[in-house]
Amino acid sequence: MAERLRTLRLILGDQLNHHHKWFKEEQDNISYVFMEMRQETDYVMHHIQKVVGFFSAMRNFAKHLIEREHEVIYLKINDKKNEQTLPENLKQLISEYKIEKFEYQLPDEFRLDLQLKDFCKELSIETEAYDTEHFLTSREDLSNFYKGKKQMTMEYFYRDMRKKYDVLMVNTKDPEGGKWNFDKSNRKKWTGKPEIPHERGFRKDVSKLLEEIDEAGIKTFGNIEAEKFNWSTSREDSLSVLNYFCKNLLVHFGDFQDALHTEEAYLFHSRLSFALNTKMLHPKEVIDSVISHWRENKDEIDISQVEGFVRQILGWREYMRGIYWKEMPGYKQSNKLDNQNQLPDFYWTANTKMNCLKHSIQQSLDNAYAHHIQRLMITGNYALLTQTHPDEVDAWYLGIYIDAIEWVEITNTRGMSQFADGGIVATKPYVSSGSYINRMSNYCKGCHYDVKKKTGENACPFNSLYWNFLDDKREFFQNNRRMSMMLNMLEKRPQDELVKIKERANTIIQNPQNF
């Protein structure tokens, strides 16, 4: 057998897959490289917990490999040899270690994919790219599935995935429980009962890492308790969070997955998104664990709780990744509604009198986390109603959440949240007045503003902004059947009332600091 070429293998910060075939092969002449780089910390301003989370998880995975006698090169953020960009570091290492072959796993971000392709073109040595062995679809599967179809409705893709992977199926055609989707069972308001178990958290001391980040001069935002870092940053921790979710939270997850509450940051949510998006956990093992626990506890757990969770991972997560690779790079510039306003300063401070925004933003600043309805129907809803430029919304979402990587962030932001793609992901914009927020939360209770009022000094800003948005964009949506009922209601509003509503809305848009 010929001796293996001296090989350098790159592992990016979201490629922490313990079960990749790379690690099962003979390891002669192979070095693995990890890099903490300003290239990655600075392309957008990140939450401090996000930087800490990625660096910690990378270091833990590197340690795992070293303990199993793999050769690892690890460039910390302040290492003198660290050139802070991927191409420069790789060039240096290839020369220093006399590398004869460079290998990498396909990145999940377009910018990194392009950067590595361009880098490999310049090399005189052999190169090879591998799949990450994480996702349940390839980059092209979604495009092939919807080929020739006018609309890319997620539900049909989701059903196909259920059949393909035999997930919650009675046979090859029929779903368990007699229904594909239990979404209508997933919309309960939480009012204090049932009791919510404390999240499976951690109290990790990250003081030394914080000192390194500070020494490097990396600009971040958000809050962190240095001795109580609360996110899983190893596979072992991630598995314990998964196990805890199955045993303690799954029983009520589906019922309350859309609920919002001032006293509860996590409710019955799993807190697995960071572990999944860094590939410390595989989506199929998460799905299998949840279904297995349900099968053992069918007397206590209804199928609606399980299906709601499976839909998020097998459906939405794979679907959004497929949309990303189908629509990039143009997707990043999409602004079909031509929204041009700036994101209000209070998105970085939570200094607002609107209770729903104050709580959702403060929670995001404190935890680098908000669940999907807070992101979609509070912060995202307000940004769209105030007609904020999607570039600004993108940068905020990409920076503030620990689980935000562009493939999943941009499709949820520009597509689902901001309708900037003109209807590729969503068939209508996810906008609402204050009534939806009041129905799903306790945010309106004790708020400075009155959720029942549309105009006047103490009227809920969401109300006037909602009707103003519909009026401003009515031409764009006039042929959208899902918008026809609301546009008909708009048409029936007395003109003098609409004038007052629009005056109120424009005052809010132009003076966000006063609200």
Side-chain angles (χ1 to χ4, degrees):
M1 187 175 172
E3 189 179 347
R4 184 194 292 272
L5 296 173
R6 184 79 180 96
T7 301
L8 182 69
R9 286 177 168 174
L10 171 67
I11 298 176
L12 297 171
D14 64 342
Q15 296 178 340
L16 313 180
N17 180 1
H18 283 57
H19 297 305
H20 197 279
K21 68 180 180 185
W22 270 1
F23 312 119
K24 297 168 187 171
E25 301 169 351
E26 284 292 325
Q27 298 299 308
D28 292 345
N29 268 347
I30 295 175
S31 295
Y32 295 93
V33 62
F34 297 77
M35 306 177 193
E36 299 170 0
M37 296 176 290
R38 295 301 295 266
Q39 169 188 304
E40 296 305 295
T41 61
D42 295 6
Y43 68 88
V44 70
M45 184 166 66
H46 298 285
H47 196 297
I48 182 59
Q49 290 189 43
K50 186 179 180 185
V51 180
V52 166
F54 271 90
F55 285 6
S56 295
M58 289 164 67
R59 291 181 184 193
N60 284 332
F61 189 43
K63 182 171 177 278
H64 167 85
L65 293 180
I66 291 165
E67 285 170 351
R68 281 147 189 82
E69 299 184 347
H70 296 286
E71 188 177 314
V72 172
I73 302 162
Y74 196 101
L75 293 176
K76 290 187 176 181
I77 193 66
N78 294 313
D79 283 354
K80 288 177 181 176
K81 284 186 176 181
N82 191 341
E83 298 288 346
Q84 304 298 339
T85 72
L86 201 48
E88 290 304 313
N89 279 334
L90 288 172
K91 277 181 205 168
Q92 180 179 282
L93 292 169
I94 287 168
S95 171
E96 183 180 343
Y97 289 87
K98 297 180 171 55
I99 298 299
E100 298 167 297
K101 187 181 182 188
F102 171 61
E103 298 179 349
Y104 66 96
Q105 294 175 30
L106 291 168
D108 289 314
E109 289 191 285
F110 187 88
R111 65 183 176 86
L112 288 170
D113 192 57
L114 190 63
Q115 187 179 39
L116 281 166
K117 279 178 182 171
D118 288 346
F119 173 74
C120 289
K121 284 175 190 172
E122 296 175 7
L123 291 178
S124 56
I125 61 171
E126 195 178 326
T127 67
E128 189 172 354
Y130 291 79
D131 191 84
T132 60
E133 301 175 10
H134 174 81
F135 291 98
L136 301 171
T137 50
S138 73
R139 289 178 176 180
E140 296 80 27
D141 280 355
L142 181 131
S143 293
N144 294 332
F145 180 78
Y146 288 109
K147 202 168 187 177
K149 295 182 175 74
K150 284 184 179 178
Q151 211 161 32
M152 294 186 287
T153 307
M154 194 282 289
E155 181 68 21
Y156 302 121
F157 173 80
Y158 169 52
R159 292 180 188 186
D160 187 66
M161 291 291 286
R162 290 266 295 271
K163 292 174 191 173
K164 189 182 288 184
Y165 285 95
D166 191 22
V167 172
L168 295 177
M169 297 296 294
V170 176
N171 50 46
T172 55
K173 292 181 181 177
D174 303 310
E176 283 195 62
K179 279 170 35 175
W180 289 103
N181 189 314
F182 288 83
D183 188 43
K184 288 180 181 174
S185 304
N186 302 152
R187 300 172 185 171
K188 291 181 182 176
K189 181 175 182 172
W190 187 76
T191 56
K193 297 288 180 183
E195 188 175 335
I196 300 172
H198 194 278
E199 78 270 11
R200 168 65 178 101
F202 303 90
R203 289 174 174 264
K204 300 177 185 180
D205 189 341
V206 293
S207 305
K208 288 180 181 176
L209 178 51
L210 280 170
E211 286 173 16
E212 291 177 54
I213 292 167
D214 186 53
E215 183 188 334
I218 296 167
K219 192 177 180 185
T220 62
F221 69 111
N223 306 317
I224 189 168
E225 289 187 76
E227 295 175 5
K228 297 178 184 177
F229 186 66
N230 197 25
W231 288 97
S232 61
T233 54
S234 68
R235 177 163 169 79
E236 293 74 23
D237 286 349
S238 301
L239 286 168
S240 76
V241 175
L242 172 59
N243 186 49
Y244 187 85
F245 171 70
C246 291
K247 288 183 176 177
N248 298 282
L249 303 169
L250 177 62
V251 63
H252 297 301
F253 169 79
D255 287 345
F256 300 104
Q257 70 172 353
D258 287 3
L260 307 143
H261 200 276
T262 54
E263 301 302 316
E264 294 291 339
Y266 304 111
L267 289 110
F268 295 96
H269 289 271
S270 68
R271 297 178 78 244
L272 289 169
S273 53
F274 178 67
L276 275 164
N277 291 355
T278 51
K279 302 179 182 59
M280 291 187 287
L281 294 180
H282 191 279
K284 191 65 165 62
E285 77 176 317
V286 172
I287 291 167
D288 288 347
S289 295
V290 166
I291 292 174
S292 175
H293 184 79
W294 165 66
R295 294 202 188 287
E296 291 167 11
N297 297 276
K298 278 190 175 182
D299 292 344
E300 299 168 34
I301 305 172
D302 190 79
I303 190 172
S304 65
Q305 319 294 346
V306 180
E307 187 279 322
F309 184 81
V310 168
R311 192 183 339 124
Q312 297 294 328
I313 296 175
L314 188 65
W316 280 113
R317 188 170 184 266
E318 298 286 334
Y319 174 82
M320 288 304 204
R321 177 175 178 261
I323 292 287
Y324 180 79
W325 286 107
K326 180 180 181 297
E327 300 296 332
M328 283 294 281
Y331 204 79
K332 199 167 184 173
Q333 280 74 49
S334 56
N335 185 9
K336 298 288 188 185
L337 293 177
D338 194 28
N339 290 335
Q340 299 295 334
N341 293 325
Q342 286 189 310
L343 196 66
D345 288 346
F346 61 67
Y347 273 71
W348 282 268
T349 64
N351 186 19
T352 171
K353 291 180 279 190
M354 290 175 274
N355 216 24
C356 57
L357 282 161
K358 188 181 190 69
H359 277 280
S360 297
I361 294 169
Q362 190 61 60
Q363 179 190 310
S364 302
L365 292 168
D366 288 344
N367 303 319
Y369 171 87
H371 72 66
H372 66 290
I373 295 299
Q374 290 171 308
R375 300 187 201 196
L376 181 64
M377 299 308 300
I378 306 296
T379 50
N381 185 14
Y382 187 84
L384 181 52
L385 291 178
T386 52
Q387 301 173 44
T388 303
H389 197 294
D391 284 359
E392 300 229 341
V393 188
D394 259 344
W396 187 78
Y397 277 97
L398 190 55
I400 198 166
Y401 294 120
I402 194 167
D403 55 20
I405 299 168
E406 190 183 67
W407 68 266
V408 68
E409 173 277 320
I410 200 171
T411 45
N412 276 289
T413 301
R414 283 194 193 246
M416 182 67 83
S417 171
Q418 299 302 295
F419 206 79
D421 64 3
I424 292 172
V425 168
T427 51
K428 70 178 183 70
Y430 279 84
V431 288
S432 79
S433 64
S435 60
Y436 171 85
I437 298 167
N438 193 35
R439 187 164 71 249
M440 294 306 298
S441 77
N442 70 336
Y443 286 155
C444 301
K445 194 177 180 180
C447 183
H448 176 83
Y449 297 103
D450 188 339
V451 69
K452 293 175 182 174
K453 289 187 177 180
K454 295 181 184 66
T455 56
E457 285 300 307
N458 70 330
C460 172
F462 280 84
N463 294 338
S464 57
L465 288 169
Y466 176 72
W467 293 106
N468 177 71
F469 174 83
L470 292 180
D471 187 57
D472 282 357
K473 308 296 181 184
R474 70 163 84 198
E475 191 177 333
F476 187 92
F477 293 114
Q478 62 185 355
N479 297 319
N480 186 319
R481 282 183 296 175
R482 293 199 67 198
M483 294 293 286
S484 58
M485 186 176 78
M486 298 316 297
L487 291 176
N488 286 337
M489 288 176 68
L490 175 69
E491 203 65 44
K492 290 173 184 175
R493 288 210 169 275
Q495 191 59 33
D496 58 339
E497 182 187 331
L498 187 58
V499 167
K500 287 178 183 174
I501 285 172
K502 289 184 72 66
E503 283 176 358
R504 168 77 170 162
N506 281 299
T507 299
I508 295 163
I509 290 168
Q510 290 162 22
N511 304 280
Q513 72 280 2
N514 296 336
F515 293 88

